[in-house]
Amino acid sequence: MGYVPDIEALRLLRAVCELGSISAAARERGVTQQSASARLRAMERALGLELLLRSPQGVTATPAGEVFVAWADELLHAADRLETGIGQLRGETGRELSVAASQTVASHLLPRWLVALRAAQLAAGHTPTEVRLLTANSADTCARVRGGEASLGFIESPEPLTDLSSRVVARDELVVVVATDHPWAVRDAVPLADVAGTGLVARELGSGTRRSWELTVGERLGRPPADPAVVLANSAAIRSAVASGLAPAVLSSRVVADDLRLGRLARVPVDTAPITRPITAIWRGAARDLSPVARDLLEAAQLS
């Protein structure tokens, strides 16, 4: 039989692709950078595949790595469901809080909220709750909350939900980014119609970022945007593709902040009002159905 990486190695690889950094992924998974690097190298050798491109500017997935991570996501989702089920059979669900979050929230907002939650619990003399994070796109996050895999979810999609309770906890801005040598990089402004008529590097269907862009174009231009030039599984892969000159992209300003600051990407002014979207907390039932720790996390998100 062929080599199949263990679940933790796959989770580490997914975190690297989402965060664009081995050190950041190591912190998220609770291991040292040295251990994470060694584990990733060992997995690549065992597979006979180069999964990651390493450079001083960060880490991106190779084409083979992008495909591999997309396939691994299905296995990781199944592993998450299995772990949740085991905890329920043991009656341990009260010892932790399962939270599902879209990629932008998981990478750029939730860590700050969790720090605030922990500080509040310690200040009150309580033992900090173990928070188990399930990362997915907005559509999958909704599905995980509906299915009971997560008690609380955070999504970026602006569409209203009729079967889940929700509360807006933050706002996010979407921006158009291009390679630094792209013709749009030196324009004073680009018409929204030109961006909408261009095939972009985009996330998969179900992504809150992609759906927010589609809805904005529909509302402001009365038509859908052009089909994507290419669809990639995570923001790190999209940023890499944009930097290489493949096509422009629409991404969260939080996601591209470092790329813009370091000059890896250029932000394109667009002749339209800012494109913003809500960051929304979702859960099953009414507000009274939230557990105390879920309410505390919700409050931390709103105050941060």
Side-chain angles (χ1 to χ4, degrees):
M1 295 180 65
Y3 167 78
V4 178
D6 63 71
I7 294 297
E8 281 307 311
L10 293 177
R11 285 175 173 152
L12 177 61
L13 177 63
R14 180 173 64 180
V16 170
C17 292
E18 290 174 353
L19 300 176
S21 163
I22 292 177
S23 60
R27 287 193 299 271
E28 180 178 282
R29 299 308 306 164
V31 298
T32 66
Q33 181 174 352
Q34 182 179 11
S35 173
S37 296
R39 193 164 195 171
L40 292 166
R41 291 285 190 189
M43 181 165 56
E44 288 178 310
R45 287 195 298 270
L47 290 168
L49 294 170
E50 184 181 24
L51 302 175
L52 299 170
L53 291 175
R54 300 160 175 86
S55 73
Q57 289 72 42
V59 181
T60 58
T62 64
E66 291 172 8
V67 173
F68 184 76
V69 170
W71 289 344
D73 270 344
E74 299 180 17
L75 179 60
L76 292 174
H77 289 167
D80 290 339
R81 290 194 297 271
L82 178 62
E83 289 181 357
T84 299
I86 292 172
Q88 291 172 339
L89 290 174
R90 290 175 174 170
E92 296 178 349
T93 53
R95 301 181 188 176
E96 67 174 19
L97 175 67
S98 293
V99 177
S102 58
Q103 289 187 17
T104 299
V105 177
S107 300
H108 299 277
L109 292 171
L110 194 58
R112 184 170 72 248
W113 300 344
L114 294 179
V115 168
L117 172 65
R118 180 181 178 85
Q121 290 179 325
L122 289 173
H126 299 153
T127 301
T129 298
E130 179 183 348
V131 177
R132 181 166 164 272
L133 176 61
L134 309 173
T135 304
N137 63 33
S138 290
D140 287 341
T141 295
C142 291
R144 289 182 168 192
V145 172
R146 290 187 183 102
E149 295 177 60
S151 301
L152 191 62
F154 294 95
I155 61 172
E156 311 148 26
S157 177
E159 294 179 292
L161 300 170
T162 59
D163 59 335
L164 295 171
S165 291
S166 63
R167 184 180 302 171
V168 174
V169 296
R171 305 290 304 183
D172 188 38
E173 182 180 8
L174 296 181
V175 297
V176 179
V177 291
V178 295
T180 54
D181 59 353
H182 191 281
W184 288 356
V186 295
R187 296 271 296 274
D188 291 334
V190 174
L192 177 63
D194 288 0
V195 182
T198 300
L200 305 178
V201 185
R203 287 278 306 280
E204 75 285 357
L205 290 172
S207 157
T209 299
R210 177 169 172 177
R211 187 58 182 151
S212 296
W213 170 244
E214 292 171 342
L215 290 172
T216 297
V217 172
E219 291 170 358
R220 298 185 186 184
L221 299 180
R223 60 178 173 81
D227 291 336
V230 65
V231 175
L232 297 177
N234 55 69
S235 296
I238 292 176
R239 288 158 38 219
S240 177
V242 173
S244 70
L246 179 59
V250 174
L251 289 169
S252 165
S253 60
R254 290 181 170 91
V255 169
V256 297
D258 287 343
D259 297 288
L260 297 176
R261 179 174 55 84
L262 297 173
R264 292 193 290 250
L265 297 174
R267 178 172 175 173
V268 177
V270 181
D271 69 345
T272 189
I275 302 172
T276 62
R277 59 181 177 172
I279 303 297
T280 305
I282 57 173
W283 65 92
R284 287 171 294 145
R288 63 178 179 274
D289 296 314
L290 284 170
S291 68
V293 69
R295 286 196 293 271
D296 289 343
L297 179 56
L298 192 57
E299 181 177 355
Q302 292 180 285
L303 293 176
S304 64

